């Protein structure tokens, strides 16, 4: 998701200025996505250029300018909401690349690498569990649901480490030609 | 350490808040009759009093075997098992039975309640074996585990989650030194499973030492600060997890595609 639709979604409720958009966006995500105010202004300018938002009232200084959703912006938002996420799976972790390389390097310590990674995932599971508990305690059920998703993803990563640990590794099957 | 401190430490089995060893396995192997490879192949590990330890590993890796040896339900082929200072190998069958009755609470995946007895009667069985009239404690426990309302219902008529809570009360009736739980959530739906784990957590907060076998890494890491990984009858990792204060952004980053154009 790009910031674009986040901004459109927040403006759906009421007109906001840049700082309010930033604060609400970060609040909604419970600190799991930091944006700087510059990104917000750039996004708002592009959205205005594309006719998806428009300024409300007279153009004040940048920080005070209110924006609202245009009818086109509303349509774009609805379309985006109705669309399932598709496209390639995003894998952001170094471990995927480390594994590929380690299977090619003769003394790449694959078992050790898997064991250390597994332990890191266990610690992350514990951290996520505590984050989920905290979110529930604070009445942030929305955030707790997000954390739950992360827990399940990390559990899958852990299972993958377990599967790999039970395999024999040689250099077979690593041909790139 | 002066003589008095030593005496007190010895008598109480250690400082309440300090670490005191409760279980020690040394070079334990187990080969079942007819078994081609060992179920346990040289396991050495110690568990402190008050610890909540999870044991994880693939099916057939030896987790239940380990619990059974600690419980004195079975004997190792070689090596030693010491629980609460007692070398279990030194005990005869009667001694071992007494050890189990006085020191071990065991909870299983499939509860093993007697279906024709009521919940309360099931809870009381271990106390009766000990000759203890414990109906006061039984009611207290059942109150605490949220099953007092079903005390007089037959075990066969209870839901899985209720049966497991009855089984936990039964395991606790003789105030065991050590609570062993082998897949206690394995036969329960997510919700009841979580409730059972919450209960175990509460008991742990009150000082209960717990050894838990589970396949659920989410539940294990939520409640246990230590995770032993067992593969092919060996402990391949012993992870002591930390509980630092963390901001959400230290643990999760939601990131989108960078806005293009
Ligand atoms: N009573 C028995 N007689 C013979 N072999 C046994 C006995 N109990 C267990 N085994 C074998 O010992 C090995 C370890 O079994 P164990 O029950 O400890 O595994 P586990 O880790 O608890 O597995 P699961 O996750 O499936 O419960 C397995 O190969 C199993 O077949
Ligand atoms: Mg088992």
């Amino acid at each position: 998701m790009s910031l674009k639709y986040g901004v459109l979604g927040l403006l759906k409720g009421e007109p906001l200025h840049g700082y309010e958009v930033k604060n609400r966006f970060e609040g909604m995500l419970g600190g799991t996505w930091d944006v700087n105010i510059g990104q917000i202004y750039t996004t708002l300018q592009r959205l205005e250029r594309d006719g998806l938002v428009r300024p409300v009232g007279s153009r004040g200084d940048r920080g005070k300018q209110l924006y609202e959703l245009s009818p086109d912006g509303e349509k774009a938002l609805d379309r985006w909401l109705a669309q399932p996420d598709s496209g390639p799976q995003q894998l952001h972790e170094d471990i995927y690349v480390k594994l590929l390389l380690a299977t090619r390097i003769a003394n790449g310590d694959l078992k050790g690498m898997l064991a250390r990674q597994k332990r890191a995932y266990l610690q992350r599971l514990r951290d996520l569990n505590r984050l989920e508990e905290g979110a529930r305690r604070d009445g942030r059920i929305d955030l707790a649901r997000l954390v739950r998703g992360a827990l399940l993803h990390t559990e899958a990563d852990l299972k993958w480490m377990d599967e790999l640990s039970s395999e024999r590794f040689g250099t077979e099957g690593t041909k790139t030609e | 350490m002066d003589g008095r401190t030593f005496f007190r430490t010895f008598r109480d089995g250690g400082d309440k808040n300090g670490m005191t060893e409760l279980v020690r396995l040394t070079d334990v192997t187990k080969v079942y009759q007819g078994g081609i490879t060992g179920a346990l192949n040289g396991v050495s590990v110690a568990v402190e009093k008050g610890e909540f330890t999870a044991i994880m590993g693939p099916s057939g890796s030896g987790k239940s075997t380990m619990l059974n040896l600690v419980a004195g339900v079975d004997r190792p082929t070689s090596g030693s098992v010491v629980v609460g200072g007692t070398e279990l190998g030194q005990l005869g069958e009667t001694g071992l039975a007494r050890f189990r009755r006085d020191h071990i609470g065991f909870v299983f995946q499939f509860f093993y309640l007697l279906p024709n007895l009521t919940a309360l009667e099931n809870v009381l069985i271990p106390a009766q074996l000990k000759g203890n009239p414990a109906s006061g404690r039984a009611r207290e426990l059942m109150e605490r585990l949220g099953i007092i309302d079903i005390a007089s219902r037959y075990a066969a008529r209870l839901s899985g989650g209720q049966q497991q809570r009855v089984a936990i009360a039964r395991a606790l009736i003789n105030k065991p030194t050590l609570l062993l739980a082998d897949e206690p959530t394995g036969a329960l739906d997510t919700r009841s499973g979580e409730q059972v784990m919450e209960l175990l957590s509460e008991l742990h907060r009150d000082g209960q030492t717990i050894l838990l076998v589970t396949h659920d890494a989410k539940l294990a890491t939520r409640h246990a600060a230590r995770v032993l990984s067992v593969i092919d009858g060996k402990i391949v990792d012993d992870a002591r997890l930390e509980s630092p204060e963390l901001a959400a952004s230290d643990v999760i980053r939601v990131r989108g595609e960078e806005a293009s154009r």
Side-chain angles (χ1 to χ4, degrees), chain B residues 32 39 58-65 215:
Chain B
Y32 287 105
S59 188
S61 57
K63 306 179 298 291
S64 297
T65 301
H215 279 111

Side-chain angles (χ1 to χ4, degrees), chain B residues 74-95:
Chain B
D74 205 351
R75 294 178 187 271
T77 307
S78 68
S80 95
V81 179
V82 177
V83 180
T86 304
E87 158 76 62
L88 301 191
Q90 308 271 303
L91 301 177
E93 288 312 307
T94 323

Side-chain angles (χ1 to χ4, degrees), chain A residues 1-4 29-34 39 43 46 49-50 90 92 115 118-119 121-133 136 143 146-148 150-152 155 158-159 162 165, chain B residues 56 190 194 198 215-227 229-231 236-261:
Chain A
M1 160 193 176
S2 67
L3 199 49
K4 171 178 163 183
L29 280 137
T32 59
W33 184 342
D34 290 326
Q39 287 172 284
T43 305
R46 284 186 192 135
R49 178 197 68 195
D50 297 342
Q90 305 271 348
H92 287 295
K118 191 178 161 186
R119 198 183 268 216
Y121 284 143
L122 284 172
Q123 180 64 52
R124 187 191 291 166
L125 279 180
R126 184 165 180 85
D127 295 341
L128 287 166
N129 267 309
R130 295 181 62 241
L131 194 62
E132 187 192 1
E133 273 173 357
R136 287 196 188 281
L143 204 58
L146 176 69
V147 180
R148 184 78 188 157
L151 266 165
L152 291 165
E155 182 183 42
L158 193 65
K159 283 188 176 152
D162 281 338
S165 305
Chain B
M56 301 195 67
T190 310
E194 277 172 0
E198 270 315 318
H215 279 111
D216 189 326
K218 301 187 298 308
L219 284 179
T221 53
R222 182 180 203 103
H223 300 284
R226 185 178 181 194
V227 180
S229 300
V230 184
I231 295 180
V236 295
D237 191 39
D238 179 355
R240 288 172 189 277
L241 305 178
E242 288 159 24
S243 312
E245 280 308 314
L246 292 167
S249 58
D250 297 328
V251 192
I252 296 188
R253 289 295 168 91
V254 178
R255 200 175 289 132
E257 293 163 40
E258 284 311 308
S260 48
R261 278 156 292 119

Side-chain angles (χ1 to χ4, degrees), chain A residues 11 17 24 29 43-44 55 63-64 69-70 73 78 86 88 96 102 105 110 116 120-121 129 148 154 158:
Chain A
L11 291 179
H17 53 67
R24 289 191 193 196
L29 280 137
T43 305
L44 282 167
K64 291 283 162 55
L69 212 55
S70 72
D78 288 346
S86 57
Y96 302 102
I105 300 168
L110 207 70
R116 286 188 295 275
Y121 284 143
N129 267 309
R148 184 78 188 157
T154 305
L158 193 65

